[in-house]
Amino acid sequence: MTQVTEQIAIEHGLKKDEFSKICKLLKRTPNITELAIFSAMWNEHCSYKSSRKHLKKLHTKGKQVIQGPGENAGVIDIGDDDAIVFKIESHNHPSFIEPYQGAATGVGGIMRDVFTMGARPIANLNSIHFGSPQHKKTKNLLRGVVKGIGGYGNCIGVPTIAGQTSFDESYNGNILVNAMTLGLVNKNKIFYSKAAGLNKPVIYVGSKTGRDGIHGASMASATFDDKIEEKKPTVQVGDPFTEKLLLEACLELMADNSIIAIQDMGAAGLTSSSVEMASKGNLGIELDLSKVPCREQKMSPYEIMLSESQERMLIVLENGKENHAKKIFDKWNLDFAVIGKTTNTKKIELIFENNKVAEIPINLLAENAPVYERKWKKTKLPQKLRLNKDNFKSLNLSDCLKKILSNPNISEKKWIWDQYDHTVMGDTIQKPGGDAGVVRVHGTKKAVAASVDSSASYCFSHPLTGGKQVVCESWRNLISVGAKPIAITNCLNFGNPEKEKNMGEFVECVEGIAEASKFLDFPVVSGNVSFYNETKDIGIKPTPAIGGVGLIKDYKNMISMDFKKIENSIFVVGKTEGHLGQSIFAKDILNEKKGPPPSINLFNERNIGETILALIDKKLIVSCHDVSLGGILPAISKMCILGNKGIKINNLKGLTNKYEYFFGEDQARYIVEIPKDNVQKVIEILNNNSVHYDNLGVIQENHMNFNDDINLPIEELANTHKYWLKEYMNN
């Protein structure tokens, strides 16, 4: 057996002082298997040692919250004994190394987190971020990731209903792949990972254990260098067909009272699943690794414990239920083995070929994992952009609009979502391309809306404001389809936390998320932190992704963003100040990357959002879209394109600068379509709620018109909007 030294510990991702602490706690030097367990449980990905202190600031409680952070996924109550289980998680490093398998296993992993809790997955979403389109790796990474997401989700038969894709040079050396899943469960039949009872059988089910994914969790807690290709063996290999069998077998076993606790083998595999179950139950666990089903010969305890082979579960059963459970897993042609038992030792004890190969007190792996108070630097709010008439003198409004509509971050992503099955299961009632995806709760009138959002530029410019903004964006997207927002999940993607600037970005983003979610009563119920997203000392822009979930009590009240009828009025609800800092217009048209993000007024966000919901509930508006990236004109254009309608835009009084008005990215704004007979009723409600509005114009046939500045066929706008990604991927 390898003699463990400080250098070997460092090679396992541990710091010198961490290794010293381990030796001190154990009162001896760990053997190689024990070192492997410590390295897995004490890495950033599993221990949250840099983030734990700050995550406590998040708002996590609400009337409809059944389970907040700390379990495999969050759970919210949607009435009638129905509950939604959901979570978003990163698979960034694996996807950069091996895009297809990295993305595929990211989807598989997040689905296991959901059905582990007894829920049948009903929808997938994703938030994916790539480097500059001109970068040599971007196109192939995009192609591989999209194929991986579609390949896994389509095979297992869960619809992908929404997502987000962005491009930025900060992701050149470290793409982001965040996967989100929603599942439906009876709120009285939720399963948890807390082990209970003594001498209860611990069973292994699913696929066999192989050598794929070893050190995967440690790899996720490290930066990249020139030797990135050497890390391919750390990327897991997925099998969606086996996952489908595992899903059905687990749900079948969950239908009776056999299961005490269940945990999927995700990051750090058998190590994390066994330790976490025992820790939550304040118990010990004994495992005989000789009984673990292996697909490769002569696997060592070290390899078995660190393997991240996919499609595996660890279950604590009630005594006497072993044969019953075995019959179920045999029926589904899955491996089944009793590999251990719960104990009163409060230790993890590993047996291999009749020899004890590891013995560690559980609390040393969980409660005694390091918690760091990293130094961090506050980001100052940048000075406001100083623009004058000369900045706009040579511009043409139509040309500006077409250029922004073809921006990689604005352009239509149909090439991506066409590769995803979004109709399987037959309950998707709003597909990708709108503000949020919507699925019916099968057999009921209810529908669940979900969206995923991020705003790296805003967060990079001023993390506190950016953190608030991304929560508000999620809030607006749900409202725009008629859903009452309930809760969020977050995936916090940042650079190296050991750098004060990066850590400061994380801290302030978290504080912004906490402030906004509390004010909006939009609690965080699950999530994930992904640090060390950098290559050769170049980190990503801070990218917190927010997955929001809301409820539509009657799916017939759902609303979409496509314009419906000629002569209907179009209002911009919410005040436009013309903020151009960090906007697409400033970057693309003015070549100006400085300035602050748009400010966030949480009172306005809540008041205006609740007002929009009231208008939808009263059936006074027939389409809705929030104003976000790009501003009013791009938002209006998308509504025109989807509805195949035009718009005659009014000559707005008091408009000092049309470019600031039409392309400013002020927050807390929506565009709504109002039938002629409802206009006065809408105005009355807006006035009563002290909500500002602009009567923007009237729907017409085929063209967008604004004075002498714009006269564009909708077909031309559509071609402009749809052109970029399709051409980029086909050339």
Side-chain angles (χ1 to χ4, degrees), residues 104-122:
T105 53
V107 174
I110 196 63
M111 281 198 283
R112 285 196 303 280
D113 280 340
V114 167
F115 75 74
T116 297
M117 298 194 70
R120 180 173 290 280
I122 58 171

Side-chain angles (χ1 to χ4, degrees), residues 223-271:
T223 57
F224 287 151
D225 55 28
D226 290 325
K227 297 180 180 178
I228 183 175
E229 292 297 318
E230 295 175 9
K231 298 183 184 289
K232 279 195 176 183
T234 65
V235 178
Q236 309 93 330
V237 178
D239 180 353
F241 300 104
T242 299
E243 176 123 332
K244 173 65 174 173
L245 300 177
L246 183 61
L247 161 66
E248 298 300 341
C250 286
L251 292 180
E252 185 174 339
L253 185 60
M254 288 168 170
D256 56 36
N257 296 316
S258 300
I259 296 176
I260 297 172
I262 181 169
Q263 178 78 38
D264 87 293
M265 296 188 216
L270 188 54
T271 292

Side-chain angles (χ1 to χ4, degrees), residues 112-169:
R112 285 196 303 280
D113 280 340
V114 167
F115 75 74
T116 297
M117 298 194 70
R120 180 173 290 280
I122 58 171
N124 288 332
L125 300 89
N126 54 75
S127 177
I128 52 179
H129 305 265
F130 300 89
S132 165
Q134 288 74 45
H135 191 270
K136 61 183 181 181
K137 286 189 175 182
T138 296
K139 191 180 294 185
N140 284 335
L141 286 168
L142 174 60
R143 184 176 283 113
V145 164
V146 171
K147 282 186 176 179
I149 292 170
Y152 206 101
N154 296 352
C155 286
I156 203 169
V158 176
T160 300
I161 63 168
Q164 176 206 18
T165 305
S166 79
F167 299 87
D168 187 275
E169 62 184 9

